[in-house]
């Protein structure tokens, strides 16, 4: 890795830590330079403003999340098994320390600056990248029967967020692996009760 790229990574790592601990507005460029072990000029050479730095942190998270596997519908595998795999992957992402850390920073910023919500909404993460295609293929194979695929996709993902992501994000509860596996089973069962072709 080139020195310039390494410095940029140090700045991003330091900003993520400080933004999480102190908040974006409360973090100064001086603190950032100190935490990143670079000069203030180096920080400004890479990121002219904290807003650009915040957006770069978000983009780095989106890039990491977009590297996960895409699951395609397979007619030879029971659909419940495939949905459980999709849900388990989503739960792993939503409950990961790295995702929760950046999500906390992002939510605080979006509350102060609603225009950032569009930036987040425009970046498909996790199963949102492929789930509508999966459902369309399952319907074409006559395994599922769904009139409104975008709505059904949201039902599935939002259930996972409601039971896994938000309780962890706000510290409402600790979750064991067994609890998360139970949630996956129940959410998949409910989804299939509504959409599996009879």
């Amino acid at each position: 890795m080139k020195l310039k790229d390494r410095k940029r990574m140090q700045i991003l790592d330091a900003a993520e830590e400080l933004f999480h601990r102190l908040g974006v507005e409360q973090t100064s460029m001086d603190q950032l330079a100190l935490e990143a072990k670079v000069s203030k000029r180096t920080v400004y050479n890479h990121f002219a403003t904290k807003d650009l730095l915040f957006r770069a942190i978000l983009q780095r998270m989106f890039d990491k999340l977009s590297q996960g596997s895409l699951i395609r519908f397979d007619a030879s595998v029971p659909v419940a098994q495939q949905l459980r795999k999709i849900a388990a992957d989503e739960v792993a992402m939503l409950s990961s320390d790295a995702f929760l850390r950046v999500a906390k920073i992002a939510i605080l910023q979006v509350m102060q600056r609603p225009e950032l919500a569009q930036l987040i909404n425009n970046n498909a993460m996790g199963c949102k990248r492929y789930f509508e295609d999966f459902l369309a293929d399952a319907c074409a194979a006559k395994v599922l029967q769904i009139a409104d695929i975008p709505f059904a996709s949201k039902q599935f993902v939002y259930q996972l967020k409601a039971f896994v992501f938000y309780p962890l994000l706000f510290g409402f509860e600790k979750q064991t692996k067994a609890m998360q596996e139970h949630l996956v089973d129940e959410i998949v069962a409910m989804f299939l009760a509504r959409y599996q072709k009879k």
Side-chain angles (χ1 to χ4, degrees):
M1 183 185 289
K2 292 180 182 175
L3 180 61
K4 183 179 178 182
D5 295 333
R6 194 160 66 245
K7 297 278 188 193
R8 187 177 192 276
M9 194 68 68
Q10 284 173 231
I11 295 165
L12 286 170
D13 289 342
E16 188 177 314
E17 170 61 28
L18 289 172
F19 289 175
H20 180 259
R21 191 170 3 123
L22 307 174
V24 176
E25 302 307 323
Q26 287 69 40
T27 299
S28 71
M29 289 303 214
D30 288 315
Q31 289 171 303
L32 193 51
L34 192 63
E35 182 84 14
K37 298 180 175 57
V38 298
S39 70
K40 192 172 173 182
R41 172 178 275 191
T42 300
V43 173
Y44 278 111
N45 283 343
H46 285 275
F47 303 101
T49 66
K50 278 195 287 184
D51 181 62
L52 289 173
L53 187 48
F54 169 72
R55 287 170 183 265
I57 288 171
L58 280 184
Q59 192 57 56
R60 182 169 71 161
M61 180 186 73
F62 296 142
D63 292 344
K64 282 180 186 174
L65 294 175
S66 69
Q67 293 167 10
S69 60
L70 299 176
I71 297 176
R72 302 289 181 206
F73 175 73
D74 184 344
S76 68
V77 178
V79 71
Q81 183 179 325
Q82 295 178 73
L83 287 170
R84 274 195 292 273
K85 168 66 174 150
I86 292 167
D89 286 355
E90 196 75 1
V91 165
M93 179 191 80
L94 293 172
S95 62
S96 71
D97 289 339
F99 185 81
L100 288 166
R101 183 185 182 88
V102 175
K104 283 179 183 177
I105 299 167
I107 283 173
L108 287 172
Q109 281 303 100
V110 167
M111 287 172 69
Q112 294 170 15
R113 298 178 50 213
E115 72 275 10
L116 290 171
Q118 199 56 48
L119 171 67
I120 295 168
N121 195 47
N122 287 342
N123 283 273
M125 296 177 282
C127 71
K128 280 180 71 179
R129 292 170 297 137
Y130 64 83
F131 195 47
E132 287 186 22
D133 291 337
F134 176 94
L135 295 178
D137 291 344
C139 289
K142 302 197 181 325
V143 173
L144 299 178
Q145 186 171 14
I146 303 173
D148 187 342
I149 286 174
F151 180 78
S153 175
K154 286 178 183 174
Q155 278 184 308
F156 189 80
V157 173
Y158 290 176
Q159 286 266 309
L160 294 169
K161 285 184 175 177
F163 284 104
V164 177
F165 174 62
Y166 291 114
L168 291 173
L169 181 71
F170 296 113
F172 295 153
E173 66 183 25
K174 300 276 186 198
Q175 294 177 354
T176 64
K177 187 144 182 70
M179 286 170 65
Q180 290 183 345
E181 287 171 357
H182 176 68
L183 285 170
V184 164
D185 288 341
E186 289 299 314
I187 289 166
V188 168
M190 184 181 292
F191 191 81
L192 288 175
R194 173 66 180 88
Y195 294 117
Q196 191 163 26
K197 188 149 174 92
K198 303 295 189 276

